[in-house]
Amino acid sequence: MSEPLLKLDGLTKAYPGVVANADVSFEIAKGEVHALLGENGAGKSTLVKTIYGLVQPDRGEMRMNGAAFAPAEPRAARAAGVAMVFQHFSLFDALNVAENVALGMENPPPLGQLAQQIREVSRSYGLPLDPSRTVGDLSAGERQRVEIIRCLLQEPRLLIMDEPTSVLTPQEVEILFETLRKLRAEGVSILYISHKLEEIRALCDTATILRQGRVVGKCDPKTTAARDMAEQMVGATLSTPSRSLGATGEVVLELKGLSAPAPRAFGTALRDIDLELRAGEVLGIGGVAGNGQDELAMALSGEMATAPGMIRFKGREIGRLGVTARRRIGLLCAPEERMGHAAVPDMSLTENAMLTAGPREDLVRHGFLRWGRAKGYAEKVIETFDVRTPGAGTAARALSGGNLQKFVIGREILQRPEILVVNQPTWGVDAMAAATIRQALLDLAERGAAVIVISQDLDELMEISDRFAALNAGRLGAPRPAEGLGLHEIGMMLGGAHDMEPALGES
Amino acid sequence: MSNIDPVLLLSALIVVSTPILLAAIGELVVERAGVLNLGVEGMMITGAVCGFVVATASGSPWLGFAGAALGAAALSMVFGVLTQVFLSNQVATGLALTLFGLGLSALLGQGYIGVKGPSVPDLYLPLLRDIPVLGPVLFRHDIIVYLALGIVAGVAWFLNRSRAGRVLRAVGENHDAAHALGYKVVRVRLMAIAFGGACAGLGGAYLSLVRVPQWTEGMTAGAGWIALAIVVFASWRPGRLVLGAWLFGGTTALQLALQASGGVQIPIEYLQMAPYLATILVLVILRTGRAPGSLGRSFHASS
């Protein structure tokens, strides 16, 4: 075995109140795909930011090819051959592909020449991309290709990929893996960060597992069971959500030709969506990010008005009703973004409870707030959903992602909705909290409510949905029973890989 | 109406629009970097008084323009440090900067009211100036008029063709991503703010040294606000900025000519309103482009 490409030794980084990395050591060999596994908040991001020069460690050192490696800024890391594809893309919507690529390079050639290079690299790695397109118009998969090509043009020795598949269709994931395997064959090392175990088993050669900032295990993912890795990651035994399939009832929500223009620049217009939702069922809506998920959630919640007849609640036209009026009749919604959309960060949990539960829980009378009742309601949510917080007076901003998510979902569920729409209910939430939330949604459906779950996590949708439908460019496909749907079929429903097939044939 | 000379009118349009064009092109760069500086009016009037004071003291209008640019840039750095280093709210700080600039200029200008400053000579362009119609409209102005158009062309080139301009746009579009790629967001923005200040200062000095030309308190009379509006009207694009400035300049020149001709029997207050109304109207009617993604948001390099 030759010398490792990168060796981390005792890296420690503390922020006020939290130790992000504690004495982290591991090695990445040349030409291997190394998985870094861990829950949200396990310290993965801090660690890769250290390698990329965005964060300076308090203690510990790194060696690359035997020489000391302590990048003071990303530029130094890039010069040493480290490239990174970010989880939240570091792209600029209003700029075109070539300009975006140029911004990530040390000495970019003139744009015309660069465009030519982009075409060449995209051809040889099977990642079709037009350099002159505006990034804001690209799909999530295409945006990721921009990031990857930006990295490849710098001929990296170590490629860091932070949760690269969270926004891709199964087909796009396959193509990405082909590219990564090709890079590995060329001797590039890849540090692959994820919490999706099946992907890691399919792709990676070694895995390092982090929990609460520490290395808690190393394993060969090809021979270790996914469940074992998951339990090391979480540090507890996991249970899968369960439900007894109840009979579904009458139609409670009907969408007829729901169409709406995009509410903002780079948004997606909704096109002619038809849907019938029955009491007691969970409908999963999947799709690659940016295909109309947010817009559909807005149309259902009442944030975006539509023509009256496009949305019917038990036969009544509600397309023009506002958010509060819809809440009053029992159509509730928990949006995707916790901070600032579902909850006001600087307000206490009591105040946040009041914001959506006011009309149904009788927390407002004659225009005055009833603090006692509101506090009682917030406490009920906290207790029922095991929200870890000092009390209802705590500001929403002080809660961890998982706890706040439990609170905002619980706040809706306890209002006994007839229809609940949730968008990305477990995005960025740790596995334990995610399991709690999914179980709560299933319990709600069992009690006779209709639930719409919009999510990009296909495993989640398969786990809890009765029926599954896919959004693609603002159109909703016909729902199909979720049981027995294969990954390939789902991929086809999601619209498959965007213009991928010819490129695959070439490579 | 008949006694309005269209050649004189067009010539006046160019002169009237120049200070707004200068202030607006500076603000355009600032906003493309993701900063909303509402202090344009304050920086303009500070430039106007600094320019006038330096020019009368030195006898050179050129030193006056240099002093105006420096003075207003220094004032813009107050805004820059407050918003970029201490992360104060950009809207509130910008409004405060306008109020501060108005007060400061009144203080500095005491003793200069009614004084006559040095005059700015026309740039003598032989041959070109003698072309009928085009000559008087385009080629009989002072050098600052051409400098302003040169700055606009330079900014257009800088933003779309140069690497530094691309970085500036990136910072304005998504400051977190720019930071993640290792660009110095705060430094880029401070430089943009200083440039915006200098341009606003030049615009102000053009009022006090060429257009009026003397010092009066509050002489910018809302030109800075119009400059701000024109940046939006232009969808943050330099080419359209020139059209916006000419539209405002043209209606202003026209209403002045109408007043002078006395041919229109309506209260002159309506005429004075016209340029502002026209600009607002066009702003409302025209679909504006998309604002830079990070416009007005504070940046802090945490996590």
Side-chain angles (χ1 to χ4, degrees), chain A residues 78 91-92 99 102-103 108, chain B residues 163 166 169-170 174 181 183 303:
Chain A
R78 285 200 292 260
L91 295 178
F92 306 94
E99 287 176 319
L103 280 165
Chain B
R163 176 159 162 76
R166 196 188 300 145
R169 282 191 289 145
N174 183 345
L181 290 175
Y183 294 107
S303 68

Side-chain angles (χ1 to χ4, degrees), chain B residues 123-145:
Chain B
L123 188 66
Y124 194 85
L125 295 167
L127 297 178
L128 286 177
R129 66 182 288 121
D130 297 326
I131 303 172
V133 185
L134 280 184
V137 171
L138 292 178
F139 301 116
R140 287 189 195 171
H141 299 295
D142 54 89
I143 193 167
I144 302 294
V145 167

Side-chain angles (χ1 to χ4, degrees), chain A residues 37 247 305 342 365 392 433 502:
Chain A
L37 265 166
R365 177 151 294 176

Side-chain angles (χ1 to χ4, degrees), chain A residues 61-321:
Chain A
E61 59 158 22
M62 297 184 278
R63 301 190 83 78
M64 183 173 272
N65 282 325
F69 174 63
E73 55 173 353
R75 199 159 295 179
R78 285 200 292 260
V82 179
M84 178 156 167
V85 175
F86 291 86
Q87 178 181 9
H88 305 290
F89 302 132
S90 59
L91 295 178
F92 306 94
D93 281 352
L95 276 58
N96 72 25
V97 171
E99 287 176 319
N100 266 285
V101 170
L103 280 165
M105 296 177 76
E106 278 325 300
N107 294 302
L111 281 183
Q113 210 175 317
L114 183 64
Q116 194 48 43
Q117 286 181 20
I118 291 172
R119 277 193 205 96
E120 277 161 26
V121 172
S122 73
R123 237 194 324 272
S124 63
Y125 286 96
L127 301 166
L129 200 59
D130 176 359
S132 63
R133 283 185 65 192
T134 302
V135 164
D137 298 330
L138 300 182
S139 74
E142 289 170 315
R143 290 164 151 250
Q144 187 177 56
R145 270 177 247 163
V146 180
E147 292 243 11
I148 294 174
I149 285 173
R150 175 154 82 187
C151 292
L152 295 185
L153 282 173
Q154 301 176 73
E155 291 165 7
R157 286 186 286 174
L158 174 65
L159 179 63
I160 305 173
M161 308 219 55
D162 192 355
E163 305 262 357
T165 59
S166 51
V167 292
L168 303 184
T169 61
Q171 276 82 352
E172 285 175 322
V173 169
E174 234 355 273
I175 286 157
L176 172 68
F177 282 10
E178 278 311 309
T179 308
L180 295 183
R181 289 193 187 108
K182 198 164 176 178
L183 283 169
R184 173 172 60 186
E186 290 169 7
V188 178
S189 305
I190 296 164
L191 182 59
Y192 189 91
I193 297 153
S194 181
H195 56 242
K196 294 190 180 167
L197 299 163
E198 287 311 322
E199 285 176 5
I200 284 169
R201 286 168 58 84
L203 180 73
C204 300
D205 305 309
T206 44
T208 298
I209 301 169
L210 284 183
R211 187 170 76 235
Q212 287 166 1
R214 293 177 183 280
V215 176
V216 294
K218 289 176 195 211
C219 63
D220 179 348
K222 295 212 160 59
T223 57
T224 312
R227 195 172 185 86
D228 292 347
M229 288 194 281
E231 293 187 351
Q232 281 194 60
M233 227 161 85
V234 182
T237 336
L238 288 167
S239 60
T240 31
S242 63
R243 69 176 298 205
S244 50
L245 253 177
T248 50
E250 55 174 307
V251 174
V252 283
L253 184 77
E254 201 181 349
L255 306 185
K256 256 209 182 105
L258 171 62
S259 303
R264 61 191 161 81
F266 300 128
T268 309
L270 296 177
R271 292 184 179 123
D272 203 20
I273 293 178
D274 289 321
L275 182 71
E276 280 190 354
L277 184 71
R278 290 177 180 277
E281 77 165 332
V282 179
L283 173 71
I285 295 182
V288 178
N291 271 297
Q293 285 92 334
D294 293 347
E295 289 78 6
L296 179 61
M298 285 170 74
L300 291 173
S301 70
E303 285 169 83
M304 181 167 78
T306 59
M310 286 180 180
I311 305 178
R312 284 167 200 270
F313 176 83
K314 295 184 173 171
R316 178 181 163 195
E317 297 185 347
I318 60 164
R320 288 254 158 244
L321 286 192

